[in-house]
Amino acid sequence: MRVTDTSDVWWKTAVVYCLDVETFLDWDGDGTGDFAGLVQRIDYLADLGVTCLWLMPFYPTGDRDDGYDITDFYGVDARLGTHGDVVELIRTARDRGMRVIADLVVNHTSDKHPWFKASRSSTDSPYRDFYIWRADAPPDTSAEVVFPDAEDSIWQLDERTGEFYLHRFYRYQPDLNIVNPAVRDEIAKVMGFWLELGLSGFRVDAVPFLLETQENTQQDKATFPDPHAYLRALRSFVGRRTGDGILLGEVNLPHEEQAAFFGGGDGDELTMQFDFIGMQNLYLAMARGDAAPLAAALRARPVISPDCQWATFVRNHDELTLDKLSDSERQEVFAAFGPQETMQVFGRGLRRRLPPMLDGDPRRLRMVYSLLFALPGTPVLFYGEEIGMGENLAVEGRMAVRTPMQWSADTNGGFSTARPNRLPAPVVEGGYSPAHVNVSDQRSDPDSLLAFVTLLIQRYRECPELGRGECTILEQPHAQVLAMLSTWDDGSLLTVHNLGAERCTVPVQLDGCDATSCLTDLLVQGNVPLDDGGRAEVVLEGYGHRWLRVTAADSRRLV
Ligand code: NOJ
């Protein structure tokens, strides 16, 4: 196995961990998380096995969309720290073997951004064309809004000049006009700035909307006929400036359309994209206790260039979107995991975390995380998943899953020493509160979810077959089972997951194997014999999961 390749293209076998500095750890006791707190927990993240931190927006903000409404792309929100603190964090992370990427939110700015203030000041402002304006009354665009609870149009009338500006998201997030070369130059400068401070790339927000020029004039479009050329330019810019930096794009589109955002066969646009389709079908498969939807989604992934990668996840900071399922499929997932209206949001997603959705069933929870790390791609965790945090439905909308990290059973879950009413959001209450779910307790418990996720990460890192290899879904007789064989170079790993509650025995046949090889269990002690025809019988408990390395008699790989 060519282990050396794994350091070269590091992101193919990375473990990404998303967090918001604001809710991770408050070190100065003012109620808000800060860089000084995060840096105190770098060793915790390194012990967990994280290799890449993804920081949610930490820039100065109007703070109406949890930092995704930015007022200064070059700044650091003073509540969180300074540029010096960011650099110290990046440096300390690097020392512990972790890279840092951050959200790049350049589809839009806050309406409080100086560019927008200048743009709206008059129709002949030099910044007017930084945004997209129209003078005539817009048509009905209510079907196009992203947040239907708050908006009914993607255009907002600006009283001062009597024209309308485009906003794909909230009205206080005017869309930047990338057709304007001056805007493109500014975006490149922003990226260059943070890369120079040590970031290893970006999670790029809302990529399809960023590239969208549908609302520009015909004349504009003629000067900028190929928005994907711009994405190619950004990828090569990051490559030139860093050598190995990445663009991890948010592109929630059908698989066929995602292929274009990778740059098709050339693989020269986004380095990685989240597999939203796989994620949504994972929930459908879990709801049904039938692996077929997930298997179909994996099989339907477009073939991508070796220069690209899928990012897998079971939860992110937004609503758990089910928008790409059919209406009846979505209802099945709602019925299984979020039957009450208060658990749902925007008519398309859930605002819950996984453990409460699974009624806290530890077998199912472990099976899902085992599956996440076994899927072909690079796994992305959202903070708190490793300890099984729940949500707080008393907190509005998507913020229900963005509550403070639970470090201990102390006041505020050890997140802050401030009065509880000063926190960015109240901590989780009830069975998933810090009294029951916290890092400190789980660190000293070898049977904890934290210990299990740490093991999964260790094994994932030791099995580059998963991040880099070819994955084949094996035929076997049980509808509730997903059996995958991941192969890279001379290594192969069989992973088997039971999405159903019944115990079963899975017959598998591995080409090219005979009784001189065996299947070595990587999660518990033991192995499964193979016969001369390469056949084995793998026993799976209800919601069971197994990682089995195909081990030849003369193998020198450590287990
Ligand atoms: C996508 C982000 O994930 C979400 O949190 C945000 O509200 C929108 N983009 C707008 O920036």
Side-chain angles (χ1 to χ4, degrees), residues 2 43 146 236 260 324 338 359 381 443 479 482 529 538:
R2 291 170 311 226
D43 287 313
V146 176
S236 57
K324 298 294 183 291
D359 297 323
L381 287 174
R443 262 164 77 85
L482 185 70
V538 179

Side-chain angles (χ1 to χ4, degrees), residues 16-88:
V16 182
Y17 187 97
C18 168
L19 64 88
D20 189 353
V21 176
E22 190 182 5
T23 52
F24 204 59
L25 182 64
D26 165 23
W27 203 244
D28 63 6
D30 66 355
T32 303
D34 40 43
F35 278 98
L38 171 54
V39 92
Q40 293 292 330
R41 291 296 185 259
I42 283 295
D43 287 313
Y44 163 77
L45 295 166
D47 284 352
L48 178 58
V50 170
T51 66
C52 179
L53 286 186
W54 154 21
L55 304 181
M56 285 169 65
F58 54 78
Y59 316 102
T61 171
D63 211 17
R64 281 177 290 173
D65 184 15
D66 200 24
Y68 284 89
D69 48 331
I70 296 169
T71 54
D72 176 6
F73 288 130
Y74 293 101
V76 177
D77 183 337
R79 296 170 310 148
L80 311 183
T82 63
H83 286 97
D85 296 323
V86 176
V87 170
E88 291 303 306

Side-chain angles (χ1 to χ4, degrees), residues 65 68-69 105 108 147 169-170 173 203 205-206 250 317-318 398 402:
D65 184 15
Y68 284 89
D69 48 331
V105 190
H108 49 267
F147 299 122
F169 295 96
Y170 295 109
Q173 291 168 323
R203 178 268 187 186
D205 192 66
E250 182 200 26
H317 62 290
D318 282 325
R398 294 173 294 160
R402 302 187 198 176

Side-chain angles (χ1 to χ4, degrees), residues 10-11 101-102 104 191 195 200-204 207 230-239 244-250 261-262 268-274 309:
W10 62 271
W11 38 272
I101 64 171
L104 179 73
M191 293 169 73
L195 294 174
S200 295
F202 302 95
R203 178 268 187 186
V204 191
V207 181
Y230 177 48
L231 198 50
R232 282 196 287 282
L234 294 182
R235 167 93 178 252
S236 57
F237 176 74
V238 171
D244 64 356
I246 59 165
L247 295 176
L248 164 57
E250 182 200 26
F261 289 84
F262 280 127
D268 54 359
E269 296 188 26
L270 293 170
T271 327
M272 299 208 274
Q273 289 180 56
F274 296 101
Q309 172 75 319

